[in-house]
Amino acid sequence: MFDKDFSKTRVKITKITSMKPLLNGQNGKFHTNGHHLEILASDFVNDNIETPLKKGAFDVSDEEKMREIEKHFAEIMDVLGLDLTDDSLKDTPRRVAKMFVKEIFSGLDPAKMPEITLFENKYNYRRMVVEKGIKVHSFCEHHFLPIYGKAHVAYISSGKVIGLSKLTSLVDYFSKTPQLQERLPRKIAEPQKEFIQTEDAAVYIEARHMCVQARGVEHEDSVTVTSEFSGKFLNESVKSEFLSAIK
């Protein structure tokens, strides 16, 4: 996942003296033996598991993006015949622009990658760690309609453990982009493995799509399930234990 050009990637080390990041050349990988790190990873751009982004996507400030979105959304409303002088509608373009940039699509900004906290597995916990029922709020990139549901994530420690709230933060961050659900499990699993330094990870997502419920076929009860398994979770007994735990 991190085999990218690091020329625009900023790595911040905080209060740790034992952490020694290693960048192996222009297309190197980031490695750490530390416990506390923040990665601002614009190297995610153009990875085939990432939301497609154009070159220069991070060259425009949030304020500039909001001004442009506000202007164009007002034009859309005008074309639809809405009265933008009405008290209920006049501030809608600004509200939508702020919502897009600061909230529902904030995962497009690598600077908002959550800070990750790791700890030594001093208690030698050898079984899987499962965090289930994590909320997923995202938007279909085909129709820009909501995707909502739950994610269940797990890993087996190879020496490090991650703060449980950080697992939920990773799901939240990577969900907040225009999305294909088929892409999202690996989008979460790959950085999870990189941060925790383990190949043994699982992500299982079950979600409803408003583009299916509110338009087109209008199937209100359908649920889409996608998953990613790696390392020991490819073993059927381990996978079965995980799937039983999240029921």
Side-chain angles (χ1 to χ4, degrees):
M1 173 127 184
F2 291 99
D3 291 320
K4 295 291 181 182
D5 184 348
F6 276 75
S7 60
K8 293 184 179 179
T9 301
R10 181 159 57 90
V11 179
K12 180 181 178 182
I13 311 302
T14 308
K15 298 180 182 179
I16 291 294
T17 58
S18 63
M19 174 179 271
K20 296 180 180 179
L22 176 63
L23 299 179
N24 292 326
Q26 186 175 9
N27 295 309
K29 291 185 178 181
F30 176 82
H31 299 276
T32 175
N33 62 353
H35 308 280
H36 192 177
L37 65 157
E38 178 185 357
I39 299 178
L40 306 183
S42 58
D43 54 290
F44 288 142
V45 180
N46 295 327
D47 193 304
N48 61 5
I49 66 171
E50 294 302 314
T51 301
L53 293 175
K54 67 178 184 179
K55 290 182 179 180
F58 309 115
D59 296 341
V60 181
S61 70
D62 283 357
E63 289 69 25
E64 292 174 286
K65 290 177 182 178
M66 287 189 289
R67 282 195 296 271
E68 286 297 305
I69 293 170
E70 179 179 352
K71 179 180 72 173
H72 292 300
F73 200 82
E75 292 174 355
I76 291 172
M77 294 176 67
D78 182 65
V79 170
L80 288 172
L82 297 172
D83 181 3
L84 285 166
T85 65
D86 186 89
D87 285 346
S88 180
L89 297 175
K90 65 180 182 179
D91 293 325
T92 296
R94 176 183 55 80
R95 286 192 290 261
V96 169
K98 182 180 179 182
M99 176 183 70
F100 276 12
V101 175
K102 296 291 189 180
E103 297 172 0
I104 63 176
F105 297 139
S106 59
L108 291 171
D109 185 352
K112 294 173 183 174
M113 171 81 75
E115 184 178 303
I116 302 301
T117 306
L118 299 179
F119 306 94
E120 294 287 345
N121 184 11
K122 296 179 181 178
Y123 21 88
N124 294 317
Y125 183 73
R126 297 183 179 90
R127 306 289 295 185
M128 67 179 69
V129 176
V130 181
E131 189 75 6
K132 67 180 186 177
I134 303 169
K135 72 174 178 66
V136 171
H137 287 167
S138 195
F139 276 74
C140 162
E141 67 184 45
H142 293 157
H143 298 95
F144 271 42
L145 287 173
I147 300 171
Y148 63 97
K150 295 187 181 299
H152 315 287
V153 301
Y155 72 94
I156 299 172
S157 173
S158 65
K160 308 290 184 187
V161 293
I162 188 172
L164 296 179
S165 66
K166 304 308 178 183
L167 291 174
T168 64
S169 296
L170 283 175
V171 171
D172 187 60
Y173 172 75
F174 286 109
S175 297
K176 287 187 173 179
T177 69
Q179 199 68 251
L180 292 178
Q181 190 180 326
E182 295 88 340
R183 197 163 54 208
L184 186 55
R186 188 172 165 224
K187 193 174 178 181
I188 296 167
E190 290 300 319
Q192 177 186 327
K193 292 190 296 182
E194 195 78 20
F195 291 143
I196 306 172
Q197 302 164 45
T198 180
E199 285 299 313
D200 307 322
V203 178
Y204 186 98
I205 297 172
E206 43 194 345
R208 299 178 184 271
H209 292 238
M210 289 299 293
C211 59
V212 175
Q213 294 182 329
R215 57 159 300 281
V217 294
E218 296 187 4
H219 284 180
E220 294 186 2
D221 297 324
S222 65
V223 177
T224 301
V225 175
T226 53
S227 60
E228 173 71 12
F229 301 100
S230 64
K232 294 177 181 177
F233 285 92
L234 293 172
N235 180 287
E236 288 302 321
S237 64
V238 177
K239 184 186 296 184
S240 294
E241 180 183 346
F242 167 69
L243 294 175
S244 295
I246 65 176
K247 288 183 179 178

